[in-house]
Coordinates of all heavy atoms in Angstrom, one line a residue:
L248 N 26.2 78.6 -90.7 CA 25.9 77.2 -91.0 C 24.4 76.9 -90.9 O 23.9 76.1 -91.7 CB 26.7 76.3 -90.1 CG 28.2 76.1 -90.3 CD1 28.9 75.4 -89.2 CD2 28.4 75.5 -91.7
V249 N 23.8 77.5 -89.9 CA 22.3 77.3 -89.8 C 21.6 77.9 -91.0 O 20.7 77.2 -91.5 CB 21.8 77.9 -88.5 CG1 20.3 78.0 -88.4 CG2 22.4 77.1 -87.3
C250 N 22.0 79.0 -91.4 CA 21.4 79.7 -92.6 C 21.6 78.8 -93.9 O 20.7 78.6 -94.7 CB 21.9 81.1 -92.8 SG 21.3 82.2 -91.6
F251 N 22.8 78.3 -94.0 CA 23.2 77.5 -95.2 C 22.3 76.2 -95.1 O 21.7 75.8 -96.2 CB 24.7 77.1 -95.2 CG 25.1 76.4 -96.4 CD1 25.4 77.0 -97.5 CD2 25.2 75.0 -96.4 CE1 25.8 76.4 -98.7 CE2 25.6 74.3 -97.5 CZ 25.9 75.0 -98.7
A252 N 22.2 75.6 -94.0 CA 21.4 74.3 -93.8 C 19.9 74.6 -94.1 O 19.2 73.8 -94.6 CB 21.6 73.7 -92.5
A253 N 19.5 75.8 -93.9 CA 18.1 76.2 -94.1 C 17.9 76.6 -95.6 O 16.7 76.9 -95.9 CB 17.7 77.4 -93.2
G254 N 18.9 76.5 -96.4 CA 18.7 76.8 -97.8 C 19.0 78.3 -98.2 O 18.7 78.6 -99.3
L255 N 19.5 79.1 -97.3 CA 19.8 80.5 -97.7 C 21.1 80.6 -98.3 O 22.1 80.0 -97.9 CB 19.7 81.4 -96.4 CG 18.3 81.4 -95.7 CD1 18.4 82.3 -94.5 CD2 17.2 81.8 -96.7
R256 N 21.2 81.4 -99.4 CA 22.4 81.6 -100.1 C 22.6 83.1 -100.3 O 21.6 83.8 -100.6 CB 22.4 80.9 -101.5 CG 22.2 79.4 -101.4 CD 23.4 78.7 -100.7 NE 23.2 77.3 -100.7 CZ 22.7 76.6 -99.7 NH1 22.2 77.2 -98.7 NH2 22.6 75.2 -99.8
V257 N 23.8 83.6 -100.2 CA 24.1 85.0 -100.4 C 24.9 85.2 -101.7 O 25.8 84.5 -101.9 CB 24.9 85.5 -99.2 CG1 25.3 87.0 -99.4 CG2 24.2 85.4 -97.9
N258 N 24.4 86.1 -102.5 CA 25.1 86.5 -103.7 C 25.7 87.8 -103.5 O 25.0 88.8 -103.3 CB 24.1 86.5 -104.9 CG 24.9 87.0 -106.1 OD1 26.0 86.5 -106.5 ND2 24.3 88.0 -106.8
T259 N 27.0 87.9 -103.7 CA 27.7 89.2 -103.6 C 28.3 89.6 -104.9 O 29.0 90.7 -105.0 CB 28.9 89.1 -102.6 OG1 29.8 88.1 -103.0 CG2 28.4 88.8 -101.2
T260 N 28.1 88.8 -106.0 CA 28.6 89.2 -107.3 C 27.5 90.0 -108.1 O 26.4 90.1 -107.6 CB 28.9 87.9 -108.1 OG1 27.7 87.3 -108.5 CG2 29.8 87.0 -107.4
R261 N 27.9 90.5 -109.2 CA 26.9 91.3 -110.0 C 26.3 90.5 -111.1 O 25.7 91.0 -112.0 CB 27.6 92.5 -110.6 CG 28.0 93.5 -109.5 CD 28.3 94.9 -110.0 NE 28.4 95.8 -108.9 CZ 29.6 96.2 -108.4 NH1 30.7 95.8 -109.0 NH2 29.7 97.1 -107.4
S262 N 26.5 89.2 -111.1 CA 26.0 88.3 -112.2 C 24.4 88.2 -112.1 O 23.8 88.1 -113.1 CB 26.5 86.9 -112.0 OG 27.9 86.9 -112.3
I263 N 23.9 88.3 -110.9 CA 22.5 88.4 -110.6 C 22.4 89.4 -109.5 O 23.4 89.8 -108.9 CB 21.8 87.0 -110.2 CG1 22.4 86.5 -108.9 CG2 22.0 86.0 -111.3 CD1 21.7 85.2 -108.4
P264 N 21.2 89.9 -109.3 CA 21.1 91.0 -108.2 C 21.7 90.5 -106.9 O 21.5 89.4 -106.5 CB 19.6 91.2 -108.1 CG 19.1 90.9 -109.5 CD 19.9 89.7 -109.9
V265 N 22.5 91.4 -106.3 CA 23.1 91.2 -105.0 C 22.0 91.0 -104.0 O 21.1 91.8 -103.9 CB 24.1 92.3 -104.6 CG1 24.6 92.1 -103.2 CG2 25.2 92.4 -105.6
G266 N 22.1 90.0 -103.2 CA 21.1 89.8 -102.1 C 21.2 88.4 -101.5 O 22.1 87.6 -101.7
I267 N 20.1 88.1 -100.8 CA 19.9 86.8 -100.1 C 18.9 86.0 -100.9 O 17.8 86.5 -101.2 CB 19.5 87.0 -98.6 CG1 20.6 87.8 -97.9 CG2 19.3 85.6 -98.0 CD1 20.2 88.3 -96.5
Y268 N 19.2 84.8 -101.2 CA 18.3 83.9 -102.0 C 18.0 82.6 -101.1 O 18.7 82.2 -100.3 CB 19.0 83.5 -103.3 CG 19.2 84.6 -104.2 CD1 20.1 85.6 -104.0 CD2 18.3 84.8 -105.3 CE1 20.3 86.7 -104.9 CE2 18.4 85.8 -106.2 CZ 19.4 86.8 -106.0 OH 19.5 87.8 -106.8
R269 N 16.9 82.0 -101.5 CA 16.4 80.8 -100.8 C 16.5 79.7 -101.9 O 15.9 79.8 -103.0 CB 15.0 80.9 -100.3 CG 14.5 79.7 -99.6 CD 13.1 79.9 -99.0 NE 12.1 80.5 -100.0 CZ 11.5 79.8 -100.9 NH1 11.6 78.5 -101.0 NH2 10.6 80.4 -101.7
L270 N 17.2 78.6 -101.6 CA 17.2 77.4 -102.4 C 15.9 76.7 -102.4 O 15.3 76.5 -101.3 CB 18.3 76.5 -101.9 CG 18.7 75.3 -102.7 CD1 19.3 75.7 -104.1 CD2 19.8 74.5 -102.0
T271 N 15.4 76.4 -103.6 CA 14.1 75.7 -103.7 C 14.2 74.4 -104.5 O 15.2 74.1 -105.0 CB 13.1 76.6 -104.4 OG1 13.4 76.7 -105.8 CG2 13.0 78.0 -103.9
D272 N 13.1 73.7 -104.5 CA 13.0 72.5 -105.3 C 12.2 72.7 -106.6 O 11.8 71.8 -107.3 CB 12.2 71.4 -104.5 CG 13.0 70.9 -103.3 OD1 14.3 70.9 -103.4 OD2 12.4 70.4 -102.3
D273 N 12.0 74.0 -106.9 CA 11.3 74.3 -108.2 C 12.0 73.8 -109.4 O 13.3 73.7 -109.4 CB 11.2 75.8 -108.3 CG 10.3 76.5 -107.3 OD1 9.6 75.7 -106.5 OD2 10.2 77.7 -107.2
P274 N 11.3 73.4 -110.4 CA 12.0 72.9 -111.6 C 12.8 74.0 -112.3 O 12.4 75.2 -112.3 CB 10.8 72.5 -112.5 CG 9.6 73.2 -112.0 CD 9.9 73.5 -110.5
V275 N 13.8 73.6 -113.0 CA 14.7 74.6 -113.7 C 14.0 74.9 -115.0 O 13.5 74.1 -115.7 CB 16.1 74.0 -114.0 CG1 16.9 74.9 -114.9 CG2 16.8 73.6 -112.7
G276 N 13.8 76.2 -115.2 CA 13.2 76.7 -116.4 C 13.7 78.1 -116.8 O 14.5 78.7 -116.1
K277 N 13.3 78.5 -118.0 CA 13.8 79.8 -118.5 C 13.4 80.9 -117.5 O 12.3 80.9 -117.0 CB 13.1 80.1 -119.9 CG 13.9 79.8 -121.0 CD 13.3 80.3 -122.3 CE 13.6 79.3 -123.4 NZ 13.0 79.7 -124.6
G278 N 14.3 81.8 -117.3 CA 14.1 82.9 -116.4 C 14.4 82.7 -115.0 O 14.5 83.7 -114.2
E279 N 14.6 81.5 -114.6 CA 14.9 81.1 -113.2 C 16.4 81.4 -112.9 O 17.3 81.3 -113.7 CB 14.6 79.7 -112.9 CG 13.2 79.3 -113.1 CD 12.3 79.8 -112.0 OE1 12.8 80.4 -111.0 OE2 11.1 79.5 -112.1
Y280 N 16.6 81.9 -111.6 CA 18.0 82.0 -111.1 C 18.3 80.6 -110.6 O 17.5 79.9 -110.0 CB 18.1 82.9 -110.0 CG 17.8 84.4 -110.4 CD1 16.8 85.1 -109.8 CD2 18.7 85.0 -111.3 CE1 16.5 86.4 -110.2 CE2 18.5 86.4 -111.6 CZ 17.4 87.0 -111.1 OH 17.2 88.3 -111.4
V281 N 19.6 80.2 -110.9 CA 20.0 78.8 -110.4 C 21.4 79.0 -109.8 O 22.2 79.9 -110.0 CB 20.1 77.8 -111.6 CG1 18.7 77.5 -112.1 CG2 21.1 78.2 -112.7
I282 N 21.7 78.0 -108.9 CA 23.0 77.8 -108.4 C 23.6 76.5 -108.9 O 22.9 75.5 -109.0 CB 23.0 77.8 -106.8 CG1 24.4 77.8 -106.2 CG2 22.2 76.7 -106.3 CD1 24.5 78.1 -104.8
F283 N 24.8 76.6 -109.4 CA 25.4 75.4 -110.1 C 26.9 75.2 -109.8 O 27.5 76.2 -109.5 CB 25.1 75.4 -111.6 CG 25.9 76.4 -112.4 CD1 27.0 76.1 -113.1 CD2 25.5 77.8 -112.4 CE1 27.7 77.0 -113.8 CE2 26.2 78.7 -113.1 CZ 27.3 78.3 -113.8

Side-chain angles (χ1 to χ4, degrees):
L248 286 172
V249 168
C250 289
F251 186 84
L255 298 181
R256 302 295 183 265
V257 176
N258 175 50
T259 59
T260 72
R261 292 197 172 102
S262 292
I263 64 174
V265 174
I267 300 171
Y268 292 76
R269 180 179 50 84
L270 188 62
T271 71
D272 291 332
D273 292 354
V275 175
K277 265 189 215 176
E279 298 287 358
Y280 293 118
V281 295
I282 187 167
F283 70 102

